[in-house]
Amino acid sequence: MQKLKLTNDFVFKKLFGQKGNESILKNLLEVVLKIKIDKIEVKAEVELEKNKIEDKTGVLDIVAVADNNTTIDIEMQMQNQYNMRERSLYYWAGLYYTGLQKAEEYSENKKAITINIVNFDIFKEGPYHEKAEIRRVYKNLKLTDKLEMHFIQLPKFLKEENEKQDPELWNWLTFICNKDEKGVKKAMETNKEIAKANKELEYLTGDEEVQRVAFLREKYEKDYNTNISGAKKEGEKLAKIEIAKEMLKQGIDVKMIEKITKLTMEEIEKISEDI
């Protein structure tokens, strides 16, 4: 039986958000954020609005409270919907807004952090792990230390060859991506929490219900990408037809239209008949 993929957002949430796996999540967060965490509490599925939101935008994957003073949202995103920066800011704003209890001073609000592990590149330039903050225009001074947004771009990581830059994060991402058998084995030998996560992943792989839902999630993603690709091709074809119509109206030679639009001669003749 093929082991489940941690890049599947359902499997990722099932492993890291499961009660009893707090030490695994705690270690991953310490490695990503470069902080020491003494105590961590994993919250159940958190919605940012009172009414039920079917769209994933309003429902957070995993929310953890570290040392009772920092709220952290961890997201695994498989497909690029070209809104990750805005979504991350929305998640952060929701965490920060709901972190202030009644009668508390603004200064008592918990620090809010979002961690986005994505299976696509958000930024063309820069490293695979980036941290974003709010800063003043004046001398680029930090405005507050109560906001952090982290973006971990897995395709960039898979191309990276410098393991020494951040060996602890390298081990975790090697395991999450299943980068190579030798690297995964080394990661498990180096970090006991990664070894523990591997055992949990093997257990989840043997669960038929988890397998079924994970398969459906991957099928949905593939169908979504296929539909997007099909819609894009259809849009490109319609655009070529419109260009061909205009060129025909202007009396441009059909061979030139064929060369420019890449439409077939039969398609151009059909367009000519239609107009």
Side-chain angles (χ1 to χ4, degrees):
M1 185 181 294
Q2 188 176 5
K3 190 182 290 186
L4 292 171
K5 298 176 183 178
L6 273 173
T7 49
N8 181 307
D9 53 0
F10 171 74
V11 178
F12 184 87
K13 181 177 179 179
K14 195 74 178 172
L15 193 154
F16 288 98
Q18 187 80 14
K19 188 173 178 59
N21 290 348
E22 288 86 354
S23 67
I24 298 174
L25 178 61
K26 174 176 170 290
N27 184 260
L28 176 63
L29 295 178
E30 287 179 330
V31 167
V32 172
L33 302 176
K34 302 294 180 278
I35 60 173
K36 181 73 176 72
I37 298 173
D38 293 321
K39 182 183 177 183
I40 191 167
E41 175 192 357
V42 181
K43 291 192 173 184
E45 191 169 83
V46 175
E47 293 185 16
L48 294 181
E49 296 186 14
K50 291 181 181 179
N51 297 326
K52 182 174 177 61
I53 302 173
E54 296 297 337
D55 190 287
K56 188 183 173 187
T57 301
V59 183
L60 307 183
D61 276 358
I62 302 171
V63 175
V65 179
D67 296 333
N68 204 36
N69 61 16
T70 304
T71 307
I72 308 165
D73 166 46
I74 310 99
E75 299 284 322
M76 169 62 76
Q77 184 68 26
M78 297 171 70
Q79 67 188 20
N80 189 0
Q81 297 179 352
Y82 302 96
N83 62 2
M84 203 64 222
R85 301 183 217 189
E86 292 77 14
R87 286 179 65 177
S88 186
L89 185 58
Y90 174 73
Y91 293 162
W92 171 80
L95 289 179
Y96 191 73
Y97 172 74
T98 56
L100 192 65
Q101 301 299 315
K102 193 173 181 180
E104 285 185 338
E105 296 290 336
Y106 288 116
S107 60
E108 298 178 73
N109 207 346
K110 289 182 174 65
K111 182 173 184 175
I113 300 175
T114 60
I115 299 173
N116 308 282
I117 305 175
V118 298
N119 213 18
F120 50 87
D121 289 339
I122 299 175
F123 312 109
K124 291 182 180 179
E125 64 289 321
Y128 63 83
H129 176 206
E130 286 206 47
K131 173 183 170 183
E133 305 170 332
I134 292 182
R135 290 182 172 270
R136 296 166 56 192
V137 174
Y138 177 73
K139 294 187 177 180
N140 200 34
L141 297 173
K142 187 189 291 188
L143 180 65
T144 177
D145 64 354
K146 290 197 171 184
L147 163 67
E148 284 183 25
M149 287 189 288
H150 291 256
F151 300 94
I152 298 175
Q153 303 158 96
L154 297 182
K156 279 188 178 182
F157 164 72
L158 291 172
K159 295 174 185 176
E160 178 62 57
E161 297 179 356
N162 185 8
E163 178 182 351
K164 295 180 180 179
Q165 186 176 346
D166 192 342
E168 291 183 320
L169 182 57
W170 180 279
N171 285 334
W172 261 116
L173 296 183
T174 295
F175 172 68
I176 289 172
C177 295
N178 197 22
K179 188 173 183 178
D180 61 82
E181 188 175 342
K182 185 178 178 182
V184 171
K185 184 179 179 181
K186 178 187 172 186
M188 290 190 292
E189 290 173 349
T190 304
N191 187 329
K192 66 177 183 179
E193 293 300 333
I194 296 179
K196 183 177 176 181
N198 184 62
K199 286 185 178 179
E200 182 65 21
L201 186 59
E202 289 177 347
Y203 171 77
L204 291 174
T205 299
D207 188 314
E208 290 185 4
E209 179 62 16
V210 174
Q211 278 273 5
R212 185 183 71 84
V213 178
F215 169 77
L216 291 174
R217 281 294 298 144
E218 289 196 13
K219 184 179 183 301
Y220 167 79
E221 298 295 342
K222 287 176 182 176
D223 289 348
Y224 176 88
N225 289 332
T226 299
N227 290 338
I228 291 294
S229 177
K232 184 180 178 182
K233 288 179 181 178
E234 182 66 23
E236 290 173 351
K237 186 68 174 288
L238 290 172
K240 288 179 180 180
I241 291 171
E242 289 302 315
I243 292 169
K245 282 182 180 179
E246 289 301 316
M247 295 177 79
L248 284 166
K249 287 176 182 178
Q250 293 176 32
I252 297 174
D253 184 74
V254 290
K255 289 190 177 294
M256 180 63 70
I257 297 174
E258 181 185 28
K259 183 177 180 181
I260 291 174
T261 64
K262 307 299 186 213
L263 293 171
T264 66
M265 192 59 70
E266 290 78 10
E267 287 172 326
I268 296 170
E269 288 174 356
K270 177 67 170 59
I271 295 168
S272 179
E273 291 173 4
D274 291 342
I275 62 173

